[in-house]
Amino acid sequence: MSASPTQPAAAQPADRQPPLLSGVAEIAAGYDGYILDVWGVLYDGGAAYPGVAECLTQLKKAGKRIVVLSNAPRRAQVVVDRLTNLGIGRHLYDEVHTSGEEAFLSLRDRTDEFHRSLGRTCVDTGGDRFLGLLDGSGVEVVGDPAEASFVIATGPLEGTDPIERYDDLLSRCLERGLPMLCANPDLEVLDKGDRHLCAGSIGARYAQMGGFVHYYGKPHEAVYATCLRLMNIEDRSRILAVGDNLETDVKGGRAHGTGTLLVAGGIHCDRLEITMGDRPDPQRLAALYGEYGLTPTATVPAFTW
C-alpha cells in the first residue's frame, strides 16, 4: 500500500508517483516540524506569494516547529528583516539559517582542519553586492587574486550576467591555486519571474576549469547539521523539508532523513509549463522526476494551506 499523504515518508519508490496535493493541509498532520525554503516557496524576490502567511499561521496554530533554511549568501538576520518587510512576521517561524550564515560561522570559528588551513584574505566574486557577509569573521576582502588566499563565490555582480564574465577572474584564481568557497550552491533563481545567475553557477564553472570548490548550503551536510539542531526534533521522519528545487531541497531532505514537499510553481515552473499556484500535469511531473532521478514525498502547486 502507498503511504497516506499524512504519513511521514522520506522517499517514494522509484516506480510510484508521489501524490499531487492541493495544499499543505493535506500533509500537515504527519509532521511536527518544517524546514522551509525561501525563494520559490515564500516569495519570488519581490513579494510574498499569496497564501504564504496564512499557511504559516495555520502551521503555528497546530503547534508545528518551523525553521527557515535558505541558500542565501546573506547572514540570517538579513533574511529575517526581508521576510518581515514582506509581511511574513517573526512570530510565524521559529528560527532562520542560511548558507551565508554557515559560511560566516565556518570562517569565524574554524573548527575543522580545512577552514584552519585557509588564510585571512579573499576575493569575492560578488563585489559589493553581498557586502557585510564576512564582517566579524576575521577575513579581509581584497580586489586582486595575487593578494588573496582563497576566493569566495557569494554570487555574480549582477544576476543577469553571463557566466563568461567571470572567466578572467576565475582563471587568475586558478593560476594561483586558490580554493573557492561557494556561499550559495543554487545555479539560478527566479527573481520576479526572471531567471538570474547564482553563486552555484560560478562554483560549477570553477570546478569545470579544474578548481577546488567547497560548498555551503543545501543539499550539503554542514548546513543541515546546524538546521536540524535548531529544529530540535529527534525523529527526522517527523520533519518535512519544503522547497521548489529537486536538486537542493528534495535531494538534501532525502539525504538527511526527512520527508520532502516540492513546490511545483518555483524554479521548475518552465519545465512544467505552469506559474505559481497552477496544478502541474502529472506526466510532466513524472518526466521531471525522471530527469533528476529524484522524487519528493509529495508535491503541491504552491505553499498554501
Side-chain angles (χ1 to χ4, degrees):
M1 294 178 62
S2 62
S4 163
T6 61
Q7 292 176 334
Q12 295 283 334
D15 60 350
R16 186 174 298 163
Q17 182 88 337
L20 175 56
L21 312 176
S22 297
V24 176
E26 295 182 48
I27 201 171
Y31 298 91
D32 302 319
Y34 291 75
I35 298 174
L36 300 183
D37 186 29
V38 177
W39 287 74
V41 174
L42 303 182
Y43 89 122
D44 68 354
Y49 290 117
V52 162
E54 172 61 18
C55 189
L56 289 170
T57 298
Q58 293 297 330
L59 289 173
K60 292 309 293 180
K61 281 183 179 179
K64 309 300 183 182
R65 184 161 177 81
I66 297 173
V67 174
V68 174
L69 177 60
S70 174
N71 273 0
R74 304 278 191 184
R75 297 293 303 278
Q77 186 59 47
V78 175
V79 174
V80 170
D81 294 341
R82 179 168 293 177
L83 292 176
T84 300
N85 290 337
L86 294 171
I88 301 174
R90 187 65 184 82
H91 64 289
L92 294 176
Y93 53 90
D94 296 287
E95 304 284 353
V96 173
H97 192 49
T98 67
S99 54
E101 187 77 15
E102 193 70 32
F104 167 81
L105 294 173
S106 297
L107 286 168
R108 185 193 67 183
D109 300 341
R110 302 192 178 227
T111 59
D112 60 85
E113 186 57 37
F114 170 71
H115 287 94
R116 285 193 292 269
S117 73
L118 298 173
R120 296 283 177 175
T121 56
C122 75
V123 171
D124 186 346
T125 65
D128 293 339
R129 187 178 175 202
F130 301 98
L131 201 63
L133 174 62
L134 298 180
D135 289 355
S137 69
V139 173
E140 178 188 1
V141 178
V142 297
D144 188 346
E147 302 173 358
S149 57
F150 65 93
V151 54
I152 187 166
T154 54
L157 297 166
E158 299 290 341
T160 53
D161 282 347
I163 189 63
E164 291 80 11
R165 178 177 181 179
Y166 300 90
D167 284 352
D168 178 63
L169 173 63
L170 297 182
S171 293
R172 287 187 288 141
C173 292
L174 190 62
E175 286 174 2
R176 297 206 62 241
L178 300 184
M180 174 180 282
L181 309 184
C182 184
N184 175 5
D186 288 352
L187 300 176
E188 60 182 8
V189 70
L190 280 178
D191 189 343
K192 297 181 284 293
D194 297 323
R195 291 181 181 270
H196 285 195
L197 204 68
C198 288
S201 290
I202 298 175
R205 188 76 160 188
Y206 197 54
Q208 290 169 359
M209 296 168 69
F212 172 83
V213 184
H214 178 87
Y215 291 92
Y216 306 92
K218 300 174 286 187
H220 302 283
E221 170 67 31
V223 78
Y224 280 96
T226 302
C227 183
L228 289 166
R229 285 198 300 271
L230 293 172
M231 180 62 70
N232 195 28
I233 294 175
E234 185 173 349
D235 184 355
R236 294 186 183 186
S237 73
R238 298 292 301 179
I239 299 171
L240 186 67
V242 183
D244 69 319
N245 193 322
L246 283 164
E247 187 61 27
T248 55
D249 301 302
V250 172
K251 183 177 182 179
R254 286 188 54 169
H256 294 87
T258 76
T260 55
L261 182 65
L262 178 70
V263 176
I267 197 69
H268 300 303
C269 65
D270 290 352
R271 181 72 174 78
L272 296 171
E273 299 184 19
I274 60 173
T275 58
M276 183 63 75
D278 293 340
R279 193 172 181 86
D281 176 75
Q283 291 186 335
R284 288 198 176 97
L285 265 181
L288 181 71
Y289 300 149
E291 180 181 326
Y292 283 84
L294 292 163
T295 54
T297 305
T299 299
V300 287
F303 186 68
T304 57
W305 188 246

